[in-house]
Amino acid sequence: MIDFKRLDHVQLCIPVGKENEARKFYTDIIGLVEIPKPKELIKNGGLWYQIADIQLHIGTENEINNSKRHPAFEVSNLESARITLATHGISIKEEIQIPGQNRFSFMDPFENRIEFLEKHNK
């Protein structure tokens, strides 16, 4: 049996050489804090971010594959997040609502799907 402790990180991908565009989206628009990559990995390109107690790794690759893969981030004010994204012209996709939370998703500039959710007690 595997004893999982927590989610450590999620990796999304962007095309090679698009770090500045990714930084504009992830740092400037959605407000994530960039953290240094280990020196051994800097040559691979990409960016790392700290989000609460997990990390988001933005890797680079030549072929980007669209799929249902995505990170889901719990936020404390979903409507505020919605307004922030809309202010920057980012389209929101309404997701099927499930009990105990409200949620939506959106695509980053590199076609990575990201979900934001807010949990509630009902």
Side-chain angles (χ1 to χ4, degrees):
M1 179 179 203
I2 298 172
D3 182 22
F4 293 98
K5 288 187 174 184
R6 66 179 187 89
L7 178 63
D8 179 75
H9 74 273
V10 171
Q11 178 157 338
L12 299 177
C13 289
I14 62 173
V16 172
K18 297 291 187 176
E19 285 87 350
N20 286 337
E21 291 176 47
R23 192 172 279 114
K24 181 178 178 182
F25 180 78
Y26 285 99
T27 302
D28 297 345
I29 294 177
I30 65 173
L32 301 185
V33 176
E34 187 173 351
I35 59 174
K37 289 179 66 171
K39 65 179 179 164
E40 297 83 0
L41 298 179
I42 291 173
K43 66 182 180 211
N44 296 337
L47 309 163
W48 284 16
Y49 290 96
Q50 188 70 44
I51 304 173
D53 67 343
I54 66 168
Q55 293 180 5
L56 174 63
H57 297 176
I58 309 292
T60 61
E61 59 186 17
N62 289 318
E63 297 292 323
I64 301 297
N65 180 355
N66 294 334
S67 75
K68 291 184 178 184
R69 291 176 288 181
H70 70 282
F73 299 108
E74 183 176 356
V75 299
S76 59
N77 189 331
L78 191 65
E79 287 310 307
S80 177
R82 181 189 302 274
I83 290 166
T84 297
L85 294 169
T87 299
H88 291 280
I90 297 163
S91 297
I92 302 297
K93 179 180 183 255
E94 298 302 330
E95 295 292 341
I96 297 169
Q97 296 303 305
I98 56 179
Q101 62 184 252
N102 294 323
R103 65 193 193 118
F104 65 78
S105 66
F106 58 96
M107 301 299 260
D108 76 2
F110 312 100
E111 298 299 317
N112 290 301
R113 179 175 167 243
I114 301 171
E115 180 180 332
F116 281 174
L117 62 91
E118 182 175 19
K119 294 184 178 181
H120 55 81
N121 295 325
K122 282 196 176 181

